[in-house]
Amino acid sequence: MDRETVLASLLRRLNTVSKLDPADISAIRSLPIAVRHWEGGRAIVSDGERPKDCCLIIEGFCVRSKTTVRGGRQILSIHIRGEIPDLQSLHLQTMDHDLITLVPSTLGFISHASLRALTHARPSVADALWRDTLIDAAMFREWIVNVGQRPAPARLAHVVMELRRRLAVTKRAEAAAIEFPLTQEQIGEALGITPVHANRIIKQLRQDGIVDVSKGQVQVLDETKLAKFAPFDDRYLHLDPSA
Amino acid sequence: MDRETVLASLLRRLNTVSKLDPADISAIRSLPIAVRHWEGGRAIVSDGERPKDCCLIIEGFCVRSKTTVRGGRQILSIHIRGEIPDLQSLHLQTMDHDLITLVPSTLGFISHASLRALTHARPSVADALWRDTLIDAAMFREWIVNVGQRPAPARLAHVVMELRRRLAVTKRAEAAAIEFPLTQEQIGEALGITPVHANRIIKQLRQDGIVDVSKGQVQVLDETKLAKFAPFDDRYLHLDPSA
DNA sequence: GCGCATCCTTAACCTTTGTTGGAACAGGTC
DNA sequence: GACCTGTTCCAACAAAGGTTAAGGATGCGC
């Protein structure tokens, strides 16, 4: 994997979310990044561990999740390329959840040491990364609303809308279909429902002609119906650095 | 309200959560803080606003919440004294949720300008505040698990356990009772259930001799039963700066 | 003391979601 | 081809939680 591509995916994300000046960008460009490939369905870091680096997703999909004592698993967020899903470990040394690949992925590891040196040398880069973790928190807030307030079918539709909006930034959301590499069991874990019920609502959304969730992707069947069924306001994603 | 008391509540929180050296502490001490009193049930900042300062809770209780288009309200977190519930607005200019007092409260407002100057001058203070916002996110993650995975009675017990643990840090959790100034409707909004159902589970927990939620407080009826009913691991609160 | 508003409480009924168990299908391996 | 394993799909029944409606308590203002 060529270093220019790696940096491009990182910088695209940071640039859409914050304003970076040329000096910041060149400082980020000189960050050492160790590229590694990862199988699908494998933990990158697990609950209780103390990682020594942060993980940039160069290509692929990851989820973060927590497991309860009763064995239930809750998916907390879905991550796409360009994101650093465990940036929080920079200041929260011990993981309180798992980070897992959904599909075979290319990852870039950046040591805490080099990140800390960078943030201390350049407060404006610290601000950008800080902001990134705050957007993470904003997405968790919306996820709470999703699980707490919406009926199951609307929950699924909302997750689809969000992922679609985020993929659009990376220029990879084709008009009507997006990648969605979750099994029905994982969809259940994301929405706080059983896999059986996940299957029911997927069927229902398909029959109602709204979206078709299958084979690792989502086909939007009717844009208008979807927008009506799951009203989506992307403000919480804070994609505009000046707003 | 005497300035020393104000600083004490802020520093206690930051000190239990991060390691601050004497120079950091004295820099924080010189932060300008405008103290104001607020009625109960009133918004401090609302969704869509662009506040110019952050709000320290000196005395009282606040919640953060989001309202859906269908009118449902979801409480996202409960905040106690010493906390800065909208620290995130430092880098996320536009609020994506509301911050509301539950009871008459004393608040300290600290301008974004002075906080930004401080974090840029002292990277270690920036790290401490950054860490604080990351703990915020960790609490949201646990809140997602609570709403997504646990049956309603266990959800309530978990919220009680968490608040109890956090109040203990401020030395105000008496052995068997804690302040819990939420109406049953608000409890429902926190747990993602209707007020009627909130009433049902409160009754059940009381009858089962676990906790008694009433009159703005929670009485723990049986410590052992509670611990068994709602196993609680406080790791996600990241109260130990070195862990 | 009366009236008003807010909160707590309960009951009956209905809808959504969970549980159990099993069939059908695909991809991979021997 | 036969045999895995993981996934999708489905049906019947049970449990949790939502809805509606209404009565009782409590505190506050007048």
Side-chain angles (χ1 to χ4, degrees):
Chain A
M1 174 70 57
D2 127 61
R3 188 171 162 83
E4 206 40 57
T5 322
V6 172
L7 287 168
S9 66
L10 173 58
L11 286 167
R12 173 161 47 201
R13 162 76 190 167
L14 289 179
N15 252 323
T16 75
V17 136
S18 293
K19 278 176 198 143
L20 296 169
D21 68 34
D24 295 334
I25 291 176
S26 74
I28 292 170
R29 282 182 159 280
S30 60
L31 231 29
I33 304 180
V35 176
R36 235 169 292 165
H37 291 275
W38 222 259
E39 291 172 45
R42 280 270 292 270
I44 300 170
V45 248
S46 303
D47 197 344
E49 288 181 4
R50 304 171 122 254
K52 289 271 161 297
D53 26 40
C54 291
C55 159
L56 163 70
I57 305 175
I58 297 164
E59 190 58 62
F61 276 89
C62 299
V63 293
R64 293 200 269 174
S65 67
K66 289 188 92 158
T67 303
T68 66
V69 281
R70 280 199 194 77
R73 199 160 81 131
Q74 175 68 48
I75 290 178
L76 307 162
S77 56
I78 302 171
H79 294 277
I80 63 175
R81 71 207 122 57
E83 298 182 342
I84 306 178
D86 61 348
L87 223 201
Q88 113 265 336
S89 69
L90 226 205
H91 295 293
L92 254 32
Q93 293 90 326
T94 307
M95 291 292 291
D96 55 33
H97 61 280
D98 302 315
L99 173 61
I100 303 169
T101 52
L102 286 175
V103 293
S105 302
T106 308
L107 308 174
F109 291 89
I110 312 173
S111 75
H112 287 173
S114 61
L115 280 169
R116 215 167 332 240
L118 173 60
T119 57
H120 283 203
R122 305 200 59 86
S124 58
V125 174
D127 287 352
L129 293 177
W130 189 349
R131 180 172 157 100
D132 202 70
T133 63
L134 293 171
I135 293 173
D136 212 48
M139 288 166 57
F140 288 139
R141 288 193 287 270
E142 187 64 32
W143 202 279
I144 293 173
V145 173
N146 204 36
V147 173
Q149 294 296 318
R150 290 190 256 265
R155 282 184 219 175
L156 176 54
H158 186 273
V159 168
V160 167
M161 292 291 272
E162 179 190 303
L163 195 60
R164 196 148 160 262
R165 182 71 188 84
R166 285 160 58 207
L167 282 170
V169 174
T170 74
K171 314 277 191 295
R172 278 247 207 123
E174 301 88 71
I178 59 164
E179 295 173 81
F180 194 70
L182 305 208
T183 65
Q184 294 189 350
E185 180 164 27
Q186 290 163 339
I187 292 173
E189 288 168 351
L191 307 182
I193 60 178
T194 56
V196 177
H197 196 53
N199 181 274
R200 276 198 281 250
I201 64 174
I202 288 168
K203 183 182 168 189
Q204 188 199 313
L205 288 176
R206 185 156 42 216
Q207 283 176 346
D208 293 351
I210 298 175
V211 291
D212 183 355
V213 180
S214 61
K215 296 172 203 125
Q217 56 167 34
V218 177
Q219 295 271 353
V220 175
L221 300 175
D222 186 325
E223 199 67 54
T224 322
K225 273 190 194 166
L226 175 57
K228 198 166 175 183
F229 184 72
F232 185 75
D233 180 346
D234 70 0
R235 263 181 36 237
Y236 74 93
L237 294 175
H238 298 273
L239 293 170
D240 180 356
S242 63
Chain B
M1 174 70 54
D2 131 58
R3 186 169 164 85
E4 205 41 55
T5 322
V6 172
L7 287 168
S9 66
L10 172 58
L11 286 167
R12 175 161 44 201
R13 162 76 188 167
L14 289 180
N15 253 322
T16 76
V17 137
S18 294
K19 279 177 200 143
L20 296 169
D21 69 33
D24 294 334
I25 291 176
S26 76
I28 292 170
R29 281 182 160 281
S30 60
L31 231 29
I33 304 180
V35 176
R36 236 169 291 166
H37 291 275
W38 222 260
E39 292 172 44
R42 281 268 293 268
I44 300 169
V45 247
S46 302
D47 197 344
E49 289 181 6
R50 305 171 123 251
K52 289 270 160 298
D53 25 40
C54 291
C55 159
L56 163 69
I57 305 175
I58 298 165
E59 190 57 61
F61 275 88
C62 299
V63 293
R64 294 199 269 173
S65 67
K66 291 189 90 158
T67 302
T68 65
V69 282
R70 280 200 194 76
R73 199 161 80 132
Q74 176 68 47
I75 289 179
L76 307 162
S77 57
I78 302 171
H79 294 276
I80 63 175
R81 67 218 134 60
E83 298 182 343
I84 306 178
D86 62 347
L87 224 201
Q88 111 266 333
S89 69
L90 226 204
H91 295 295
L92 254 32
Q93 292 91 327
T94 308
M95 291 293 290
D96 54 34
H97 61 279
D98 302 315
L99 173 60
I100 303 170
T101 52
L102 286 175
V103 293
S105 303
T106 308
L107 307 174
F109 291 88
I110 312 173
S111 75
H112 286 173
S114 62
L115 280 170
R116 216 167 332 239
L118 174 60
T119 57
H120 283 203
R122 303 199 61 85
S124 57
V125 175
D127 287 351
L129 294 177
W130 188 349
R131 179 173 159 98
D132 202 71
T133 63
L134 292 172
I135 293 174
D136 212 50
M139 289 165 57
F140 289 139
R141 287 193 288 270
E142 188 63 33
W143 201 279
I144 292 172
V145 173
N146 204 36
V147 172
Q149 294 296 319
R150 289 189 256 264
R155 282 184 220 176
L156 177 53
H158 186 272
V159 168
V160 167
M161 292 291 271
E162 178 189 303
L163 194 60
R164 197 147 161 263
R165 182 71 188 84
R166 285 160 56 207
L167 282 170
V169 174
T170 75
K171 313 277 191 295
R172 278 246 206 122
E174 300 92 71
I178 59 165
E179 296 174 80
F180 195 71
L182 306 208
T183 65
Q184 294 189 350
E185 180 165 26
Q186 290 162 339
I187 292 173
E189 288 168 351
L191 307 182
I193 59 178
T194 56
V196 176
H197 196 54
N199 181 276
R200 277 197 281 249
I201 64 174
I202 289 169
K203 183 181 168 190
Q204 188 199 315
L205 288 177
R206 186 155 42 214
Q207 284 175 346
D208 292 350
I210 298 174
V211 291
D212 183 355
V213 180
S214 61
K215 295 173 203 121
Q217 55 167 33
V218 177
Q219 295 270 353
V220 175
L221 300 175
D222 186 324
E223 199 65 52
T224 323
K225 272 190 194 167
L226 175 56
K228 199 166 171 183
F229 184 72
F232 185 75
D233 180 345
D234 70 359
R235 262 180 38 236
Y236 73 94
L237 293 175
H238 298 274
L239 293 171
D240 181 355
S242 63

